[in-house]
């Protein structure tokens, strides 16, 4: 993950790769048990910079690619519940690991039950 980060910071071509390069770095961090570094990458290179507005599809655009959003949730980003709710609103699928990351950030049983209730409510909508 350090090599990918060094490349991103020092290569002229890295801006062409944008979120996919950051997502690859975040994934490498998560695989190696470096969740805090993955969160830091998200905050430094996606959430707080113009790189976040580059993802496009079929005539539309969105600030975050679904993969980058999913990886931030997997890492347990402090805003993972908000990221999950945005994924639901946009009908993006999320990984089981992302759901676990969201659950890990919930502070009490009431929040956990509310989270599962929202998931159940959305189940019939194609999400």
């Amino acid at each position: 993950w350090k090599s990918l980060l060094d490349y991103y910071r020092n290569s002229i071509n890295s801006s062409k790769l944008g979120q996919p390069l950051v997502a690859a770095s975040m994934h490498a961090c998560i695989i190696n048990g470096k969740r805090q570094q993955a969160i830091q990458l998200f905050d430094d290179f996606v959430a707080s910079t113009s790189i976040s507005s580059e993802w496009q599809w079929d005539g539309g655009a969105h600030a975050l690619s679904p993969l980058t959003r999913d990886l931030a949730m997997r890492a347990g980003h402090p805003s993972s519940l908000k990221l999950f709710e945005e994924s639901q609103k946009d009908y993006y699928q999320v990984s089981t690991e992302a759901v676990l990351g969201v659950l890990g950030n919930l502070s009490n049983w009431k929040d956990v039950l509310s989270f599962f209730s929202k998931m159940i409510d959305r189940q019939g909508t194609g999400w």
Side-chain angles (χ1 to χ4, degrees):
W1 65 272
K2 289 180 182 179
S3 297
L4 286 169
L5 185 55
D6 288 341
Y7 177 82
Y8 188 82
R9 287 184 175 153
N10 299 314
S11 174
I12 295 170
N13 296 321
S14 66
S15 63
K16 294 178 185 176
L17 298 174
Q19 277 192 52
L21 179 61
V22 175
S25 300
M26 289 173 64
H27 192 236
C29 289
I30 292 167
I31 288 172
N32 287 291
K34 307 283 187 193
R35 293 183 184 279
Q36 280 307 118
Q37 285 86 347
I39 291 169
Q40 191 65 47
L41 286 168
F42 180 82
D43 287 343
D44 290 349
F45 296 105
V46 179
S48 64
T49 65
S50 61
I51 192 176
S52 64
S53 63
E54 71 179 47
W55 190 71
Q56 298 181 9
W57 76 94
D58 244 1
H62 201 284
L64 288 175
S65 76
L67 176 60
T68 304
R69 189 184 302 185
D70 192 88
L71 288 166
M73 288 184 282
R74 287 185 201 190
H77 193 278
S79 66
S80 60
L81 182 58
K82 180 181 175 218
L83 294 169
F84 179 82
E85 289 169 349
E86 289 172 0
S87 295
Q88 276 194 314
K89 185 183 87 177
D90 295 333
Y91 296 98
Y92 293 139
Q93 291 185 346
V94 297
S95 66
T96 302
E97 293 86 357
V99 171
L100 293 173
V102 173
L103 287 171
N105 278 344
L106 299 177
S107 59
N108 60 55
W109 283 105
K110 183 179 177 185
D111 293 339
V112 172
L113 292 174
S114 174
F115 175 75
F116 280 121
S117 177
K118 288 177 188 177
M119 286 182 63
I120 291 167
D121 289 345
R122 294 288 287 191
Q123 193 168 10
T125 63
W127 176 77

